[in-house]
């Protein structure tokens, strides 16, 4: 069954850091709309409403984590703690199993995407020094 979740493949495109909070805020709105009965695009079958509500909550948590933390690694740590806390709680009276599965899937997707963004942004001190020298040369010519 294909559902309306973002791509989990490692070959998925890298999303720039500044676009991540917006991406997950929009994903949360989309998943909530699916939970409330909005028709999916052609070729996509929907899971049950609780799964989509869980995914909406997970994507919203990712958006909030990205907005409230300056460093991406801190946002990833926060999301992992949320996921761990939910996995440790086995009480289905608070969260239905479908909701929990959707939430964990959404947060895991967010963590993987953020880690791909971090990997693409590896700090290169030599590159920064080269750029500084280039800027200095330009300033000296003036």
């Amino acid at each position: 069954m294909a559902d309306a979740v973002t791509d989990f493949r490692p070959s998925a495109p890298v999303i720039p850091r500044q676009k991540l909070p917006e991406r997950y805020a929009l994903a949360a709105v989309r998943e909530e709309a699916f939970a409330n009965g909005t028709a999916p695009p052609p070729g996509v079958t929907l899971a049950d409403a609780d799964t989509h509500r869980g995914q909406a909550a997970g994507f919203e948590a990712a958006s909030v984590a990205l907005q409230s933390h300056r460093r991406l690694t801190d946002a990833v740590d926060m999301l992992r703690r949320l996921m761990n806390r939910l996995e440790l709680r086995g009480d289905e009276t608070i969260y239905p199993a479908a909701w929990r599965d959707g939430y964990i899937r959404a947060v895991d997707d967010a963590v993987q995407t953020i880690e791909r963004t971090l990997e693409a942004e590896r700090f290169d001190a030599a590159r920064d020094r080269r750029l500084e020298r280039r800027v200095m040369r330009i300033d000296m010519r003036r």
Side-chain angles (χ1 to χ4, degrees), residues 2-15:
D3 56 15
V5 177
T6 54
D7 193 359
F8 288 111
R9 294 174 298 174
S11 63
V14 173
I15 297 163

Side-chain angles (χ1 to χ4, degrees), residues 12 19 50 91 120:
K19 296 287 184 181
D50 281 340
D91 189 7

Side-chain angles (χ1 to χ4, degrees), residues 24-125:
Y24 290 112
L26 291 173
V29 169
R30 181 192 68 219
E31 293 299 328
E32 189 63 36
F34 288 152
N36 292 329
T38 300
V44 175
T45 56
L46 296 180
D48 64 80
D50 281 340
T51 301
H52 288 290
R53 283 191 183 91
Q55 289 174 347
F59 288 139
E60 184 66 28
S63 178
V64 169
L66 288 162
Q67 291 172 16
S68 62
H69 290 85
R70 174 174 258 171
R71 294 185 311 184
L72 292 180
T73 54
D74 291 342
V76 167
D77 289 342
M78 177 187 160
L79 291 171
R80 284 197 174 128
R81 282 193 308 272
L82 286 171
M83 223 175 7
N84 188 31
R85 200 171 296 152
L86 188 64
E87 287 172 343
L88 291 177
R89 280 192 164 176
D91 189 7
E92 291 189 20
T93 59
I94 298 173
Y95 303 110
W99 187 95
R100 294 162 57 92
D101 291 342
Y103 185 91
I104 290 171
R105 177 190 275 170
V107 172
D108 186 51
D109 172 51
V111 166
Q112 289 179 19
T113 303
I114 294 168
E115 286 176 339
R116 276 196 307 273
T117 299
L118 277 170
E119 188 68 31
E121 290 182 347
R122 288 271 184 207
F123 180 71
D124 181 5

